[in-house]
Amino acid sequence: MKKALLLLLVFCTGFQFISAQKTVYSVFSPSRNIQFRIGINKGGTPYYKVTFMGANMVDWSRLGLVTKEQNLQTGFKLIGVKPESHDETWKTVWGEVDRIRDHYNGMVYSLKNENGKKLNIHVRVYDDGVGFRYEFPDADGMPTLTVLDEITEYQMTGDHTAWWIPGDYDSNEHVYSTTKVSRIDAAWYNREHAIATQHIIDYKLVQTPITMKTEKGYHITLAEAGLTDFSALHLRVDTAALRFSASLIPSADPNVKSINQLPFNTPWRAILLSKDAAGILKSRLILNLNEPCKLQGDLSWIKPQKYVGVWWEMHVGLATWDLEASQDMMAATGRKSATHHGANTENVKRYIDFASKYGFDGVLVEGWNVGWKDWFGKWKDEVFDFAKPYPDFDIDVLSKYAQEKGVRIIAHHETSAAVPSYERQMQTAYDFMHKYGQNSVKTGYVGKIIPRGEWHDGQWMVKHYVRVAEATAKNKIMLDAHEPVRPSGLQRTFPNWLACEAARGQEFNAWSTGNPPEHECILPFTRILGGPMDYTPGIFETRMSAYDKSKKEIVHTTVAKQLALYVTLYSPLQMAADLPENYEKRLDVFQFIRDVPVDWDDTKIINASVGDYITTARRQKGTNNWFLGSITDENARNFTIKLDFLKAGRTYSAKIYEDGKDAHWEKNPYPVAIRKIMVKKGDVLNLKLAAGGGCAISMIAL
Ligand code: NOJ
Ligand code: CA
C-alpha cells in the first residue's frame, strides 16, 4: 500500500487543472523524455495527450468506444488511478536481439459510466513510446460487448510527412505513398489492379503502422500491438484538422466491428516516438506490449531458417501450380499453355539437391496438392485437399529423398480464403505433414473470404490466424502466413509463427508494375514494425524479359541490393527466391546468401531515413561475426561507415559485395563487385550505393 502511494507520487503529477474542463493525471517514461497525460472533461469523456522531449506530439485527443450495449463515450467518472512500473529483461526465442528490456511506468485509469459499467484505460509509457488499451474488468450485467466503433483519436500537431498505404479491408499489398497528412487521399489506389482481392471504400483511410516525420525531424508511428480478438486498426484522417481517428474493419454485418465476451481488453494502441528515423527501427515497444511466449517446454524445434522453393518459376510464368489449368483459369491469368506443372517429382528433387548442396534448410513446394485447377477468383468453398498430392508429386519418394539429403520440404496450404474448409482439414493436414517429416507450413489466403462477407482484416479472420498459430504450435509446426492481417507483435507470444507476408512482396516485381526502389526503404518503418516479413529477396535475374521477350516487368533494384535485403529486412525466415540455375551462374555473388544468418544476438541501425536509405549491422547468434546491409532508394549515395560495433582486439575477414561499375536498378542491375579486406573495430568503410542499389558485407571474426 505504502509502495503504491509512493509510486503515485513519483509517476503522477496528481490533480492539476490544465484547462477548466480537464482533471489530469500524468505518467513519465523512465528517462522522462515522454509524458502521457490523461483526463476527463466536464461531459465525462476521457482525453489524452503525449509530449516527447518537450514537444507536443499528440495533442488532447478523445478516447472511448461506441457499443450497442452501453454509452462508453461520455458520462464517465473517475473511480481510481493505479500507478505501476515495470523493469524486466526477457530473452527472445529468436530475433534481432537476444534480450529485450521491458521498462515502463504506467497506470490503470479506472472509469465508471452512468450505468455503473467499469472501463479501465491501461497506460504504459516507455522511453520509445506509449501504449494504451481499453479493459473491461468484469462481466457484471453485460457479458457481451458489441463494438460498433472505436473513438480513439490522434490529434497531430503539424502537417507531418507521412508514409502510408490505403485503408483496405482485404489487402496490405500496396505501394506506399509519401504525402503530408493534409494531402492523404487514396483515390488513385482503386486504379491499380495487380492485387487479387482489395476493398478500398474510403479514400481517407490509412492502415497502421503509419510513420510520420515532423518538421523538427522527430518521428511518430501509430500502430497496434497484440491483435488477437478484435478487428484490425485502420485510421481515418481528417485532413483539415490533421487528426486521425480509429476505424475498425467491419464484420459481415457492416455495422458491427467486433463482438467480445467480457472480461475483455482491446489490443494496445501503440505510439512510437523517436528523435530520428533510426530510433523507430530500434524500438521494441510493439514486442514489449505483447504477451510473453505462451508455448511451453523445449522450443528447440523452432528454428529460424533459409529456404529455396518451387515458387518463383510459377511467378515468372515458366511453370504452373496446377496439373491442368481450366479454361477459366487460363482466361483469368492470360496463360497460353494448359500446364507445365512445377511441383513434379523430378523438379522437386532438383531443388532438394540444390538446397542440400548449398546449405539451405527447407524447400517450399507450391502446387503439390489437388485443387489448383479451380482456385482463383471463384469464391468457392472446398477447393483444396491438404492431404492429397497430385499424382506426379511422389511424396513418399520425395520425403525420403529430402531426409537423406538433410533438407525439409516446407508444406504449402493455399486456402484460397475458403477458411472453414481449411479449419475442418487442419489437423488432418498437420498429421499428414508429420507423416512426411515436414515441420513448416506456408499458408495463403488469396481471394474473397468464406464465410462470405467477412474481410481479411476483420475480427473473424484475426481469430482464425491466431487459431492457426495455436494449432500449428500444438503440432510443433512453424508458420508463415501469406495474405493475413498485418502482424502486431504476436511472434513474441507464438514464436512458431516465424513470418507473414501482409505487405507487397517481391512477387509483384514479377507480374506487375512492381515495387519502386524506395519500397524496401519504407517497409521496416511501417509493416515490418509489427513483425517479420516473408519478402523473398535474392533475385539475380531481375528482368522478366529473360523468360519471355515480350515481358517488361523488372525487379526495381540492383543485384547487390537484393543481397543487402537479407540484413535490412529482418526475418527469421528468408527465401533465396530465384531459380537454382540463376544462382549457379553467379556462385561468387550467391555466396553471401549462403553465408548470411537468420538469427541474431545484436542489431545496430547505422543510418536511416524513411523512404531513402537504411544501413543495418547485425551480429550472428552465438558468434562474433557481423553482417551489414545498406540499401538506397532511386538515388545513388555514398556512406562513410565506422565499424565501431566490432569487438575490440579482434580481426575480421570482411567480404564486401557492392554495386559494380555503372550499376543502376533500371539500366544496369547486374554488376556486383566483390572485394575481401581485413577490418577491425574503429575502421572506416566508404560505401558507394548505385541508384536503387545496395551493399552487403560479411565480417567473420578470426
Ligand atoms: C500469393 C502468395 O503471396 C504467393 O507467395 C503464392 O505463391 C501465391 N499466392 C499462390 O499461393
Ligand atoms: Ca501475396
Side-chain angles (χ1 to χ4, degrees), residues 173 446 482-483 501 503 507-508:
E173 303 187 359
V446 172
H482 277 231
E483 298 87 29
E501 185 190 40
E507 62 192 28
F508 277 79

Side-chain angles (χ1 to χ4, degrees), residues 244-515:
F244 294 95
S245 49
S247 176
L248 302 171
I249 311 280
S251 65
D253 175 344
N255 295 318
V256 173
K257 307 297 160 39
S258 166
I259 299 184
N260 296 93
Q261 300 305 308
L262 270 50
F264 162 74
N265 52 258
T266 66
W268 292 96
R269 276 50 187 116
I271 304 173
L272 282 63
L273 294 161
S274 167
K275 61 182 188 345
D276 57 19
I280 296 292
L281 300 182
K282 288 179 207 159
S283 171
R284 307 288 169 229
L285 178 72
I286 291 177
L287 280 175
N288 274 331
L289 289 171
N290 271 272
E291 296 293 318
C293 177
K294 270 197 182 160
L295 313 188
Q296 307 283 326
D298 176 14
L299 299 183
S300 59
W301 58 273
I302 300 174
K303 287 197 185 75
Q305 52 185 296
K306 273 186 291 188
Y307 72 103
V308 294
V310 180
W311 182 74
W312 189 243
E313 58 183 87
M314 277 86 95
H315 286 273
V316 302
L318 292 182
T320 58
W321 281 272
D322 48 291
L323 190 56
E324 198 189 326
S326 66
Q327 292 301 315
D328 286 359
M329 178 71 185
M330 284 165 65
T333 57
R335 188 186 305 154
K336 292 178 195 85
S337 79
T339 185
H340 179 168
H341 186 217
N344 68 74
T345 306
E346 279 320 299
N347 197 34
V348 176
K349 272 191 175 172
R350 190 167 71 92
Y351 278 85
I352 294 173
D353 288 339
F354 181 83
S356 167
K357 183 166 175 192
Y358 296 110
F360 288 81
D361 309 285
V363 174
L364 168 72
V365 185
E366 295 202 358
W368 66 276
N369 62 328
V370 298
W372 289 90
K373 187 172 177 174
D374 217 10
W375 75 291
F376 194 80
K378 292 282 177 66
W379 214 3
K380 187 180 144 188
D381 206 350
E382 306 300 353
V383 180
F384 286 104
D385 187 326
F386 301 101
K388 193 164 178 205
Y390 273 132
D392 65 340
F393 177 83
D394 192 330
I395 193 161
D396 290 301
V397 166
L398 287 168
S399 311
K400 216 166 141 254
Y401 193 70
Q403 198 190 6
E404 281 163 17
K405 297 267 177 171
V407 170
R408 294 221 198 219
I409 292 178
I410 299 177
H412 184 228
H413 294 170
E414 173 56 68
T415 67
S416 69
V419 179
S421 163
Y422 186 53
E423 293 205 351
R424 282 196 290 277
Q425 295 185 62
M426 248 158 38
Q427 192 54 51
T428 316
Y430 302 151
D431 290 342
F432 184 83
M433 284 177 61
H434 276 305
K435 181 170 167 202
Y436 292 104
Q438 302 168 1
N439 68 349
S440 303
V441 64
K442 169 178 171 179
T443 56
Y445 298 88
V446 172
K448 292 208 233 178
I449 300 292
I450 293 177
R452 294 193 172 83
E454 295 293 348
W455 308 100
H456 279 77
D457 290 2
Q459 182 194 20
W460 197 89
M461 283 305 290
V462 164
K463 288 170 78 166
H464 166 75
Y465 307 125
V466 172
R467 274 200 293 281
V468 175
E470 286 168 344
T472 47
K474 205 176 100 206
N475 287 278
K476 295 203 160 82
I477 288 172
M478 289 170 274
L479 174 64
D480 168 24
H482 277 231
E483 298 87 29
V485 67
R486 64 264 194 247
S488 59
L490 290 177
Q491 68 271 24
R492 178 177 178 192
T493 316
F494 305 107
N496 65 307
W497 193 350
L498 295 182
C500 291
E501 185 190 40
R504 194 177 179 96
Q506 179 90 273
E507 62 192 28
F508 277 79
N509 282 320
W511 37 252
S512 80
T513 50
N515 306 342

